[in-house]
Amino acid sequence: MTPQPLAVVRDVEASSRWYQATLGLQNGHGGPEYEQLMFEGRMVLQLHDADAHEHPHLSLPTTGPSPVVLWFLTPQFDEALGACRTWN
């Protein structure tokens, strides 16, 4: 079994840029509705637009935080933390 986490987001392209800049992930299959983010040739995260019409069961809560926790282990923790602090 291979985990394939999928996060539903409001802006796939902006979210993809954030994960790439913060964690050093690479674009595997990008677009405005769906993205696969890669690390060392393996897909580690999928991003899906909350409003994509072909998947109406995927949605975000209308208020409050998303009920999802994504956890990444990286040996470059200090660099990733620094990238989070400087991300605009």
Side-chain angles (χ1 to χ4, degrees):
M1 182 183 309
T2 303
Q4 296 189 348
L6 183 141
V8 178
V9 298
R10 296 191 199 294
D11 188 328
V12 170
E13 292 169 319
S15 298
S16 177
R17 287 190 302 271
W18 186 86
Y19 282 104
Q20 290 180 57
T22 304
L23 297 177
L25 303 181
Q26 296 87 37
N27 173 293
H29 168 79
E33 292 186 351
Y34 178 77
E35 166 75 286
Q36 289 182 352
L37 291 166
M38 314 293 286
F39 184 76
E40 295 180 349
R42 293 184 56 217
M43 194 268 299
V44 297
L45 179 62
Q46 301 170 85
L47 302 173
H48 199 288
D49 185 274
D51 296 321
H53 301 287
E54 67 272 12
H55 299 292
H57 59 284
L58 298 176
S59 63
L60 290 171
T62 55
T63 61
S66 175
V68 173
V69 175
L70 298 174
W71 189 298
F72 294 92
L73 179 64
T74 176
Q76 293 86 26
F77 178 78
D78 291 334
E79 291 87 349
L81 185 59
C84 287
R85 289 182 179 145
T86 60
W87 180 257
N88 293 332

